[in-house]
Amino acid sequence: PAAVEVCLGGHPPARDPLTAAEAYRAHGSELWAVDDISGAVGRWERALEVLGEERGKVAPYMLDELEVVVRLNATQGYLRRERFEPARGHAMVVLQLRPLCAKARFRLAEACGGLGDWRAAE
């Protein structure tokens, strides 16, 4: 898609930052589907940067849901690459936003296990 091609150059595909963050998220998912894990994680990290730039400018509820989805995706990508520290960090942020999120709890346990922190993994 044209919007995704624009994202590749580092420029958001639209003036609306939420639309831009969503485009980065979607492009990351496309890259994940073709097993480009590094590319996918890069797009998801860019989506998080865009969302972070909007904190304080718009109501948190407008950002939180997309942030949860993107952070869960990034967590899975980092786990796949065995980069357990950033995976743990993303999962912990998700749990701050959504304390009952089972997927984040499971991925946090995986990251802690990968770091050898077996007590926290339980």
Side-chain angles (χ1 to χ4, degrees):
V4 171
E5 290 172 8
V6 174
C7 284
L8 291 173
H11 304 288
R15 293 179 193 264
D16 173 22
L18 296 179
T19 301
E22 174 56 32
Y24 287 120
R25 185 218 52 84
H27 187 226
S29 296
E30 290 173 10
L31 293 171
W32 179 269
V34 296
D35 209 33
D36 181 355
I37 307 308
S38 294
V41 169
R43 293 291 86 190
W44 294 327
E45 288 291 354
R46 182 65 186 120
L48 290 170
E49 288 173 18
V50 171
L51 291 172
E53 292 165 3
E54 295 308 302
R55 287 272 172 216
K57 297 178 187 176
V58 297
Y61 76 88
M62 296 176 69
L63 306 174
D64 288 353
E65 201 57 43
L66 182 55
E67 183 174 355
V68 165
V69 169
V70 173
R71 285 190 184 277
L72 286 170
N73 289 352
T75 300
Q76 186 62 31
Y78 282 122
L79 288 171
R80 176 82 79 78
R81 294 175 60 207
E82 297 185 359
R83 294 198 49 213
F84 301 113
E85 191 62 43
R88 180 172 66 174
H90 282 299
M92 290 175 73
V93 172
V94 171
L95 288 171
Q96 290 173 350
L97 295 169
R98 300 286 183 274
L100 301 177
C101 181
K103 190 180 285 189
R105 288 186 180 280
F106 180 79
R107 290 182 183 170
L108 177 59
E110 283 186 90
C112 290
L115 291 166
D117 187 354
W118 303 112
R119 177 177 239 114
E122 294 176 358

